[in-house]
Amino acid sequence: MTLLVPVATTRAVGRVNPVAKLLAAVILSLSLLLSIDWVSAGVALVLEAVLLGWAGLPWRAFWRRTLPLWIAAPVSVIATSLYGQDAGAVIGRAGFITVTEGSVALAFAIGLRILAVGIPGIVLFATTDPTDLADGLGQVLRLPARFVLGGLAGIRLVGLFVDDWRQLGLARRARGVADVGGPIGALKRTAGMAFALLVLSVRRGSKLATAMEAKGFGADTPRTWARPSTFGRPEYFLVALGTAIAAVSIATAIAAGTWSFVLA
Amino acid sequence: MLAQQADTLSEAGVWVPGRAPVLPARAGRTARDGALLDAVELGVGRRRGVPVADGIGARIVAGRALAVTGPNGAGKSTLALTLAGLLPEVSGELTASRVLADGAASSPIRWRSRELLTRIGTVFQDPEHQFLAGTVRDELAVGPRALRLGSRETADRVDELLERLRLDHLAGANPFTLSGGEKRRLSVATVLVARPSILVLDEPTFGQDARTWRELVALAAELLDDGSAVVAVTHDADFVDVLADDVLELGTARAHVAARRLSASRAARNPATRLQQTAASAVSGTAGARS
């Protein structure tokens, strides 16, 4: 599960407070979700592509992590052009399927939007260590420590699921039951392993809860933090950058006359 | 107060500071002439092509115990799982002798799950990973059933182990509800019930009370005297002292087995002596332990 491990980078983006990355990504995504048109999404995507060089993510890691988007975007383009709301000239027709200029335009608006919203989030979080994010959420955004650190511990434990699953499989082989019963037997064993994993997880969860209780997370006295999380110039700059991309793409779309506010 | 009650406490399974564990006598360490498993230039890892340890030479011999030691992350558990026929070797070769293979393929990873049962038994680090049944009794019967032993033979083996490992009063309990020591004893029992020629143990004594520790050591010693081989991954210096005939130290540049002699093993309580001893044996170039 190497995708769970943050990419180490020497670029400035690696040192920026994750809360700033979160804010920048949220501002950008929300503004792009206000309209469905291809101009605003396209402009945002181009600006993001320019900034990719500073994202601290090697190309291999970039493609691997954004792979779901490159699958989701074309699929939604095809689906929307075939089944989307029809408008304008008919381009093709087959049975009850009609492809029109309107549905194609809508399809590209949606496809580009998936990429424009998805890429900055994935790229910014690829270089984010969950511990830093938790520190930021607790200290900068002042979220409750119990909630933040419980969540962090949960993320950290996801890696253990993978190990557990592997061990459970090996143990079935060691116990002499790994190759009986054909496909139905295999299905039963998978169900058994899933249940065992559930039991192990619940137990680990309650152990974690006890440990947190023992460390005083149930108390309402203010907690101190081992690693200070600061919010300074680089952080404001990143948030401003996200806001600027959003503003430019919206302004361009309005100027081009393609802007269509979803709530209007 | 502690000194007065030391015997009682130790008997009850409490680790008393400054009190060395009682070491059971091993009858004869004269190894039978039988290499069971040979590792040559073995590389082990969880993923293909990515070894966590390689260049390992070791020989598992009937009646001898091999202790695998080394720092965390050195690949001890991965090696144990590979020797146990559960993970494919990343490089090098692991070959079962004709005696061990007994008609099956010469490479343990190619054995069927059922063929593995009587040849190599593995006790996992976390007992909960290997529990399959709803009661302790059914748990012990999993192996014999897979081997298609008759119901009487199964019952005999299960009863014997239940008693031997003080689990008889728990026969109807769910394995997941047992205490740590009980889980460990059950996980060992589920493997022994199939009577494997090689027993692979991953940190068997970790977190155990003094009484379970003594029982585990005695059990392993008995198996060795009966001609089984034992491979144990362990950090437990006492366990190594009492049981190990050979020590494989991972994490150094290239791992070699250093053969230990019984006479020297007691003297080796002093860590410095042991270090020299291991180093000396390694330098003498024993790529595999010879008995």
Side-chain angles (χ1 to χ4, degrees), chain A residues 53-73:
Chain A
W54 287 272
L57 201 60
W59 282 113
R60 255 181 73 96
F62 171 78
W63 292 116
R64 251 160 49 104
R65 284 173 191 250
T66 53
L67 183 66
L69 297 178
W70 299 109
I71 295 169

Side-chain angles (χ1 to χ4, degrees), chain B:
Chain B
M1 180 65 190
L2 200 62
Q4 277 173 14
Q5 297 298 324
D7 279 331
T8 322
L9 286 170
S10 180
E11 186 56 37
V14 177
W15 289 105
V16 181
R19 204 181 160 78
V22 184
L23 314 172
R26 286 270 308 275
R29 288 206 188 202
T30 46
R32 328 250 151 139
D33 176 38
L36 296 175
L37 211 51
D38 246 318
V40 180
E41 286 290 310
L42 183 66
V44 298
R46 305 261 173 178
R47 280 192 295 157
R48 208 162 273 284
V50 191
V52 290
D54 59 4
I56 301 167
R59 172 172 283 186
I60 318 294
V61 183
R64 285 180 80 86
L66 170 70
V68 181
T69 62
N72 288 334
K76 301 187 295 294
S77 292
T78 313
L79 173 63
L81 292 172
T82 309
L83 290 176
L86 300 174
L87 289 178
E89 50 268 53
V90 172
S91 60
E93 256 179 81
L94 180 69
T95 323
S97 72
R98 208 173 292 240
V99 180
L100 181 66
D102 189 24
S106 67
S107 170
I109 190 66
R110 289 175 52 211
W111 295 343
R112 294 160 53 89
S113 176
R114 183 148 48 86
E115 289 175 329
L116 208 52
L117 268 183
T118 52
R119 291 171 175 82
I120 309 176
T122 312
V123 177
F124 283 71
Q125 200 165 353
D126 184 351
E128 292 186 351
H129 282 141
Q130 63 182 89
F131 290 156
L132 297 167
T135 68
V136 168
R137 175 174 288 280
D138 287 346
E139 195 63 64
L140 285 168
V142 167
R145 268 194 206 123
L147 292 172
R148 296 187 191 124
L149 299 177
S151 57
R152 178 184 286 178
E153 170 78 13
T154 303
D156 284 350
R157 288 192 186 192
V158 169
D159 287 334
E160 185 196 327
L161 278 163
L162 278 175
E163 195 184 335
R164 174 75 207 264
L165 288 167
R166 292 185 287 123
L167 294 166
D168 35 2
H169 64 292
L170 297 166
N174 186 304
F176 277 94
T177 62
L178 304 184
S179 76
E182 289 160 353
K183 275 182 200 159
R184 169 58 68 208
R185 298 203 298 271
L186 176 60
S187 70
V188 173
T190 56
V191 171
L192 293 185
V193 75
R195 297 186 183 156
S197 306
I198 301 176
L199 179 65
V200 178
L201 303 156
D202 195 350
E203 297 283 5
T205 57
F206 182 76
Q208 300 304 317
D209 63 72
R211 188 172 175 192
T212 300
W213 191 94
R214 282 195 299 271
E215 285 166 347
L216 288 173
V217 169
L219 202 62
E222 197 181 302
L223 287 170
L224 287 165
D225 292 339
D226 288 346
S228 300
V230 171
V231 178
V233 168
T234 187
H235 277 118
D236 181 344
D238 286 325
F239 191 79
V240 174
D241 269 351
V242 184
L243 217 56
D245 299 297
D246 309 304
V247 177
L248 175 66
E249 214 177 323
L250 287 186
T252 43
R254 285 171 88 73
H256 288 295
V257 173
R260 303 167 76 239
R261 273 164 300 151
L262 181 61
S263 55
S265 82
R266 297 293 147 100
R269 291 213 150 252
N270 177 354
T273 328
R274 181 163 53 210
L275 200 67
Q276 281 172 357
Q277 192 189 354
T278 314
S281 313
V283 169
S284 70
T286 39
R290 300 281 138 81
S291 37

Side-chain angles (χ1 to χ4, degrees), chain A residues 122-149:
Chain A
I122 291 180
V123 167
L124 285 176
F125 280 96
T127 53
T128 298
D129 186 286
T131 311
D132 292 340
L133 177 60
D135 278 333
L137 291 177
Q139 294 169 60
V140 179
L141 295 187
R142 311 253 169 222
L143 295 180
R146 182 152 56 155
F147 162 75
V148 167
L149 294 182

Side-chain angles (χ1 to χ4, degrees), chain A residues 100-125:
Chain A
T100 57
E101 277 175 358
S103 66
V104 170
L106 188 65
F108 278 94
I110 288 177
L112 287 175
R113 203 153 298 271
I114 289 174
L115 295 176
V117 170
I119 287 176
I122 291 180
V123 167
L124 285 176
F125 280 96

Side-chain angles (χ1 to χ4, degrees), chain A:
Chain A
M1 288 302 278
T2 47
L3 289 182
L4 289 173
V5 183
V7 174
T9 175
T10 51
R11 291 220 178 256
V13 72
R15 293 189 301 274
V16 173
N17 194 317
V19 172
K21 296 183 185 174
L22 183 68
L23 287 178
V26 165
I27 291 171
L28 190 50
S29 312
L30 285 184
S31 0
L32 285 177
L33 290 176
L34 291 179
S35 159
I36 298 178
D37 68 297
W38 66 271
V39 175
S40 63
V43 170
L45 199 55
V46 169
L47 293 175
E48 287 162 10
V50 172
L51 292 174
L52 268 185
W54 287 272
L57 201 60
W59 282 113
R60 255 181 73 96
F62 171 78
W63 292 116
R64 251 160 49 104
R65 284 173 191 250
T66 53
L67 183 66
L69 297 178
W70 299 109
I71 295 169
V75 167
S76 55
V77 166
I78 293 168
T80 313
S81 29
L82 296 183
Y83 306 110
Q85 202 170 31
D86 295 320
V90 174
I91 298 169
R93 194 191 295 267
F96 60 91
I97 297 168
T98 332
V99 179
T100 57
E101 277 175 358
S103 66
V104 170
L106 188 65
F108 278 94
I110 288 177
L112 287 175
R113 203 153 298 271
I114 289 174
L115 295 176
V117 170
I119 287 176
I122 291 180
V123 167
L124 285 176
F125 280 96
T127 53
T128 298
D129 186 286
T131 311
D132 292 340
L133 177 60
D135 278 333
L137 291 177
Q139 294 169 60
V140 179
L141 295 187
R142 311 253 169 222
L143 295 180
R146 182 152 56 155
F147 162 75
V148 167
L149 294 182
L152 172 64
I155 292 175
R156 289 252 178 265
L157 291 182
V158 170
L160 290 182
F161 277 158
V162 184
D163 292 340
D164 272 334
W165 187 258
R166 205 181 281 150
Q167 289 299 97
L168 287 168
L170 294 179
R172 262 103 193 122
R173 173 164 161 80
R175 296 292 311 272
V177 297
D179 47 27
V180 289
I184 294 172
L187 211 62
K188 272 191 192 160
R189 266 193 307 284
T190 310
M193 280 165 63
F195 187 70
L197 190 66
L198 182 69
V199 172
L200 291 172
S201 314
V202 170
R203 296 190 148 222
R204 199 171 284 143
S206 46
K207 235 181 269 174
L208 185 70
T210 314
M212 286 183 71
E213 196 62 42
K215 288 180 182 263
F217 278 90
D220 39 15
T221 42
R223 300 188 68 83
T224 54
W225 296 80
R227 295 167 297 266
S229 180
T230 54
F231 204 90
R233 210 171 288 175
E235 284 73 25
Y236 286 114
F237 178 72
L238 186 69
V239 176
L241 205 59
T243 315
I245 294 177
V248 169
S249 57
I250 290 175
T252 317
I254 292 175
T258 59
W259 175 262
S260 59
F261 191 49
V262 282
L263 300 177

